[in-house]
């Protein structure tokens, strides 16, 4: 029963660990040591909610129409292949995640939390990643394994954001090196393509 959980952790990390506005914001606030805990809580809670809505929502939808599982499985596999290829391209031409430390005046708790919420909930990719992709991957694990997969994906988020937020000062140099992102994106590419094969051949 541990396999669905570990698969969820791997898939969750593969989607979360990427250069993006949300990670950059968490990193910037971590460097400034400003409202780190509330921001981390918003990001982790939002991800967990979206992940479990995806796991439960898609699971409920396919109960009345099992053929949807096959459709979702192939769409999810195609998305994973595309995501893996994009990660491979990023590995070939790596970027860097650099958070500005310039202060524009201390942010309030509410403004910091609302910014974190906006960067999460107003990002269209988050719905594809959590509701569609992770939801389809979860339901490919079967009725008994899908919730373990969801728990694994949520655990990945619960580990990643505190690591970035509270470890920001120590991780700044790591994230600023393109070579680091080459390794990370290379691993993400391998993971996503492997998951695509497993998803496509499961049925």
């Amino acid at each position: 029963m541990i396999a669905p959980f570990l698969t969820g952790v791997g898939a969750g990390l593969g989607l979360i660990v990427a250069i993006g506005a949300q990670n950059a914001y968490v990193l910037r606030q971590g460097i400034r040591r400003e409202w780190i805990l509330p921001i981390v809580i918003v990001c982790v809670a939002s991800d967990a909610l979206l992940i479990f809505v995806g796991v439960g929502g898609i699971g409920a939808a396919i109960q009345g129409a099992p053929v949807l599982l096959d459709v979702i499985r192939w769409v999810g596999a195609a998305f994973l292949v595309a995501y893996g290829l994009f990660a491979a391209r990023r590995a070939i031409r790596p970027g860097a995640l650099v958070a500005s430390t310039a202060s524009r005046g201390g942010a309030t708790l509410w403004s910091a939390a609302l910014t974190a919420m906006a960067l999460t909930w107003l990002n269209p990719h988050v719905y594809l990643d959590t509701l569609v992709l992770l939801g389809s991957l979860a339901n490919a694990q079967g009725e008994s394994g899908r919730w373990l997969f969801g728990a694994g994906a949520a655990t990945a988020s619960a580990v990643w954001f505190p690591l970035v937020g509270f470890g920001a000062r120590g991780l700044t140099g790591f994230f600023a090196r393109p070579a680091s992102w080459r390794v990370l994106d290379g691993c993400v590419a391998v993971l996503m393509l492997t998951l695509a094969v497993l998803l496509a051949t499961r049925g």
Side-chain angles (χ1 to χ4, degrees), residues 7-190:
T7 303
V9 171
L13 286 175
L15 294 173
I16 295 169
V17 180
I19 298 174
Q22 186 188 48
N23 280 329
Y25 180 68
V26 175
L27 180 64
R28 182 183 67 124
Q29 294 301 107
I31 293 173
R32 296 174 65 181
R33 298 180 181 176
E34 187 175 75
W35 305 117
I36 306 171
L37 180 59
I39 290 170
V40 166
I41 290 174
V42 166
C43 292
V44 171
S46 296
D47 274 9
L49 177 60
L50 287 165
I51 288 168
F52 285 113
V53 166
V55 173
I58 292 180
I62 64 173
Q63 285 180 358
V67 70
L68 285 177
L69 181 58
D70 287 330
V71 174
I72 292 169
R73 182 160 57 92
W74 287 108
V75 170
F79 189 86
L80 283 168
V81 169
Y83 201 100
L85 292 177
F86 281 126
R89 186 177 68 176
R90 291 196 306 267
I92 295 172
R93 302 178 62 183
L97 180 60
V98 180
S100 173
T101 58
S103 177
R104 297 182 181 178
T108 65
L109 169 60
W110 289 110
S111 66
L114 286 174
T115 300
M117 290 182 66
L119 291 173
T120 301
W121 292 90
L122 298 182
N123 178 8
H125 293 289
V126 75
Y127 299 101
L128 290 173
D129 290 348
T130 55
L131 298 182
V132 178
L133 182 54
L134 290 180
S136 63
L137 285 171
N139 282 279
Q141 307 300 315
E143 183 62 30
S144 61
R146 63 189 179 110
W147 295 108
L148 284 172
F149 178 94
T155 298
S157 176
V159 170
W160 175 253
F161 287 113
L163 177 65
V164 174
F166 292 103
R169 289 184 178 271
L171 294 171
T172 305
F174 176 85
F175 284 128
R177 290 196 296 268
S180 300
W181 286 102
R182 173 172 280 130
V183 173
L184 283 174
D185 281 323
C187 291
V188 168
V190 172

